[in-house]
Amino acid sequence: MCDYSLHAVQSRPAVVGETLITTTFRGTSTRGFASEKDPAVAVCMLPGTELAFADNVRYDSRWIWTKTIGYRVGVFNEVEPDVPDRHHDAVEFPDGSHVLVTQLCEGQRVTILQLPALHPPVEQKPKVAEARPSVFASLFLG
């Protein structure tokens, strides 16, 4: 998924094993992930995508300074998906904390470790009737 603010930016899905950078997309105030070879194209991820950062994750706090989280791995997720006109894309860390993708400091390298498993719906087959007669049938059939 790519945040609502990136709908005007060209995008493509993430690929396992590729290394991306965090960047601010031209013409927006939103940060996201892009390939170093094609920094104008947003790389979108599904919730559950596992990420490995090259260094401990840095992000902009609501103040002037940046903060560092003592983790290099996380899972792409979304927060407050039912709230419109807000950034939802986030990275969840092993301690349960989240950082919005748009708050990640620019220039960080991140590798896609694993995409979430997508299972097609499994068609339920009707159960086969048992070979032995039921108690009800044995009472009346004899």
Side-chain angles (χ1 to χ4, degrees), residues 38-112:
D38 202 357
V41 177
V43 176
C44 299
M45 299 176 201
L46 293 171
T49 300
E50 296 177 16
L51 309 171
F53 288 81
D55 297 304
N56 286 344
V57 177
R58 292 176 294 112
Y59 69 99
D60 292 332
S61 64
R62 302 212 184 269
W63 302 96
I64 299 169
W65 304 277
T66 61
K67 290 188 176 184
T68 300
I69 292 183
Y71 296 109
R72 292 184 180 190
V73 295
V75 177
F76 180 82
N77 219 322
E78 57 180 354
V79 293
E80 299 179 330
D82 299 329
V83 180
D85 301 327
R86 180 175 284 178
H87 294 285
H88 302 289
D89 293 352
V91 178
E92 181 178 354
F93 297 99
D95 66 355
S97 63
H98 290 86
V99 171
L100 290 173
V101 170
T102 198
Q103 290 180 313
L104 294 173
C105 292
E106 287 188 79
Q108 296 183 87
R109 287 179 171 62
V110 60
T111 301
I112 307 295

